Amino acid sequence: MSVLLKAPPTDRIIISNVSWETYESLLKDLENQSSPRLAYDQGVLEIMSPHFEHDAAKEVLAYIAIIALEEQDIDFVAAGSTTFKRGVLKRGFEPDASFYIRNAARVRGKKRLNMEIDPPPELIIEIDVTGDSMDKFPLYAALQVNEVWRYAGAVEVWVLQQNRYVRQNTSKAIPILGDRLITELMESSLTLQRPAWARNTRQRIHSLMK
């Protein structure tokens, strides 16, 4: 087993030659803990403990998605950092945030999801503020996640097309939002108090609906 350690503040460890059984055992041991989070790609395991900058960005970006959906009266289920895995593919991940939109009714009320029978989320959020995480796009594509919002100082919108992600200016999952607007809203969250920021965000999104 080879180990590559990454120093703080990233708080990540990447380990090669890890069996699927070991990955599932770790998931079971960590089942009731919010940290660390795991990603597994055919023998490569990433263990990540989120830090403040990471989680603060995740909460804001997820809230932008929630506000946009609520303002348009679109049904959704926020699935958070649910573990999405498929044993037949030997792949699994826990996103920073995830949303069911088109398939919200199919998963509402379920206590657990089984990716062998349940659909993947339509949108996931990935915070990569240090720019050194394992490339998880192959994981997301293997499980057919339609769209990824990646934040690395600015927001990037990636849409799945023919099993690979193509960068777009506008979200397909929430078409009222574009990468520039989302980035501007993220940046304003760093200076405005939260109530004022939330009101401003709702007003800006609502104005796009007229």
Side-chain angles (χ1 to χ4, degrees):
M1 180 180 294
S2 61
V3 179
L4 172 61
L5 298 180
K6 294 184 179 293
T10 61
D11 298 324
R12 299 176 190 270
I13 299 175
I14 296 178
I15 309 174
S16 301
N17 303 319
V18 178
S19 69
W20 179 257
E21 291 73 21
T22 297
Y23 167 63
E24 289 203 306
S25 178
L26 287 170
L27 286 176
K28 185 175 182 180
D29 290 343
L30 298 170
E31 187 174 23
N32 297 316
Q33 300 182 39
S34 59
S35 181
R37 292 209 292 272
L38 309 178
Y40 184 87
D41 188 358
Q42 298 178 327
V44 179
L45 175 69
E46 180 190 73
I47 304 173
M48 192 272 281
S49 297
H51 47 77
F52 176 75
E53 181 185 14
H54 177 282
D55 270 4
K58 173 199 70 175
E59 294 297 334
V60 170
L61 189 48
Y63 196 48
I64 291 171
I66 289 171
I67 289 175
L69 291 166
E70 288 179 345
E71 286 297 308
Q72 297 177 91
D73 199 25
I74 296 174
D75 188 24
F76 69 95
V77 170
S81 297
T82 296
T83 300
F84 299 100
K85 62 185 177 75
R86 289 194 63 187
V88 67
L89 300 176
K90 297 294 188 291
R91 281 169 158 158
F93 63 89
E94 296 166 342
D96 290 313
S98 57
F99 292 89
Y100 283 92
I101 304 171
R102 188 172 61 253
N103 288 314
R106 291 182 60 182
V107 300
R108 178 171 289 106
K110 291 194 173 187
K111 294 183 178 180
R112 292 181 180 273
L113 297 177
N114 180 351
M115 291 297 98
E116 304 299 336
I117 57 176
D118 291 316
E122 281 86 22
L123 171 64
I124 65 172
I125 287 172
E126 176 183 275
I127 305 300
D128 200 8
V129 290
T130 54
D132 64 352
S133 65
M134 183 175 71
D135 180 10
K136 300 187 188 71
F137 276 24
L139 291 177
Y140 307 149
L143 270 69
Q144 294 295 294
V145 175
N146 289 333
E147 183 168 323
V148 180
W149 290 1
R150 179 177 178 270
Y151 178 70
V155 175
E156 302 169 359
V157 175
W158 295 86
V159 176
L160 188 64
Q161 295 182 3
Q162 297 180 342
N163 295 318
R164 68 183 184 92
Y165 288 98
V166 178
R167 189 170 176 181
Q168 305 283 349
N169 294 326
T170 303
S171 170
K172 184 176 180 181
I174 313 176
I176 200 171
L177 296 178
D179 54 1
R180 291 181 62 181
L181 173 60
I182 303 171
T183 297
E184 289 174 9
L185 294 173
M186 290 286 290
E187 290 174 346
S188 67
S189 74
L190 300 176
T191 55
L192 292 175
Q193 292 186 358
R194 185 58 179 255
W197 174 82
R199 287 194 299 271
N200 178 68
T201 298
R202 286 190 181 275
Q203 289 169 358
R204 291 194 65 180
I205 292 174
H206 189 74
S207 68
L208 299 174
M209 299 165 54
K210 297 179 180 178

